[in-house]
Amino acid sequence: MVHTMYSSPPLHGACLVQEILTAPDLRPDVELTVDRIIAMRTQLRAGIEGAGKKNSWRHIADQIASASPTSIERTRRPQYLH
């Protein structure tokens, strides 16, 4: 039984995410988490730019997903940070 439940992690994870995002009582927690992530990305970008780094760091604050392609790997296939 356990093997069949966990042998497909993407499906298991998708079901878990769906449960969390559709639970009305968890909505405030999800919104709080999203706001905190946006604030941290904005602070990270400001810190990097404030340190005098000349590259564009706009992608850090502009991303809308939890995974983002790194600017280091853009010349090759995208690598994602989770």
Side-chain angles (χ1 to χ4, degrees), residues 16-81:
L16 180 61
V17 169
Q18 180 181 8
E19 185 69 28
I20 291 169
L21 294 179
T22 59
D25 56 322
L26 295 178
R27 183 82 177 172
D29 293 330
V30 171
E31 290 176 359
L32 177 64
T33 301
V34 168
D35 290 343
R36 289 178 63 194
I37 291 170
I38 291 170
M40 286 190 299
R41 289 177 181 162
T42 302
Q43 290 174 359
L44 176 61
R45 179 182 175 190
I48 292 171
E49 291 174 345
K53 302 300 179 186
K54 302 295 181 197
N55 294 345
S56 172
W57 299 97
R58 182 177 174 190
H59 65 280
I60 292 174
D62 290 350
Q63 69 185 8
I64 57 172
S66 63
S68 171
T70 64
S71 59
I72 296 168
E73 296 291 334
R74 288 196 179 167
T75 57
R76 300 171 61 212
R77 64 185 174 93
Q79 302 292 316
Y80 289 86
L81 301 175

